[in-house]
Amino acid sequence: MDLSLANNYVVEEEQSIIETVQFIVIRFGEEQYGIDIRYIDNIVRMQHITRVPKMPAYLKGVINLRGEVIPVISMRLKMGLAADEITKASRIIVVKLEQEGNVGFIVDEVKEVVQLTADEIEKITYNAKDEKANLINAVGKHNGELISLFDLSAVSLEGN
């Protein structure tokens, strides 16, 4: 057996062992955020959201998706950003949360799917009182750009 071929085989095998995580990259204004693709149930175009009285401002209401009533959150308001501006690119991303079940997030745009390896993801520390920071647990580096990664376990329908 040719030794150069054997070395290539070992290198390829080592690279396939490196764990990668796929993230859907979304946009709020000029900022990019990532959601672990394993939590995503569906991505749908904006549709009529039925308002629910006496709910926090960030809880926009509910949608009916194939017979399932799903609460919809404005992630912009939840993070203390400016209110949503609904455009043709706006989407509702339906994610599966452990505590809440399926929840929809209004996002400005869904950009792409990226794969990040462990060394492209950097955990961040934050002030426990900062609600926006609580929702972000890491930053991913992809093609020279930074992507704030959501900690979906911190997303809740209560409080703000």
Side-chain angles (χ1 to χ4, degrees):
M1 177 175 192
D2 182 1
L3 192 55
S4 64
L5 288 177
N7 286 340
N8 285 344
Y9 178 76
V10 171
V11 169
E12 285 177 22
E13 195 170 286
E14 284 176 9
Q15 287 175 343
S16 67
I17 293 171
I18 296 172
E19 185 182 337
T20 60
V21 180
Q22 288 186 313
F23 291 90
I24 293 268
V25 177
I26 58 172
R27 196 176 53 72
F28 295 121
E30 298 302 312
E31 294 184 51
Q32 294 188 120
Y33 295 87
I35 300 175
D36 187 329
I37 203 164
R38 294 175 288 193
Y39 291 98
I40 295 180
D41 185 61
N42 211 326
I43 299 174
V44 296
R45 292 187 184 277
M46 282 304 298
Q47 54 187 276
H48 175 72
I49 298 172
T50 303
R51 185 87 181 119
V52 178
K54 299 186 180 180
M55 296 306 281
Y58 66 86
L59 188 56
K60 301 311 275 181
V62 295
I63 59 171
N64 183 338
L65 189 61
R66 291 187 294 280
E68 182 182 359
V69 176
I70 297 173
V72 177
I73 294 176
S74 165
M75 289 304 287
R76 282 175 153 269
L77 294 179
K78 182 89 170 149
M79 295 188 318
L81 302 173
D84 298 287
E85 292 182 31
I86 305 304
T87 67
K88 287 183 179 184
S90 298
R91 297 288 183 267
I92 298 174
I93 296 184
V94 179
V95 296
K96 298 174 285 232
L97 301 180
E98 282 182 36
Q99 306 295 328
E100 314 286 351
N102 283 351
V103 176
F105 296 161
I106 298 173
V107 301
D108 291 357
E109 179 185 9
V110 175
K111 289 187 66 171
E112 61 185 330
V113 175
V114 299
Q115 286 193 358
L116 300 177
T117 61
D119 45 335
E120 293 174 313
I121 299 173
E122 208 167 295
K123 296 284 182 197
I124 57 174
T125 57
Y126 55 85
N127 178 349
K129 294 182 180 121
D130 183 354
E131 179 72 22
K132 181 179 175 185
N134 279 339
L135 297 173
I136 307 299
N137 68 348
V139 174
K141 294 172 241 160
H142 181 72
N143 291 341
E145 294 183 334
L146 297 179
I147 303 167
S148 300
L149 304 178
F150 278 113
D151 177 7
L152 292 181
S153 65
V155 176
S156 168
L157 295 180
E158 279 95 44
N160 191 25

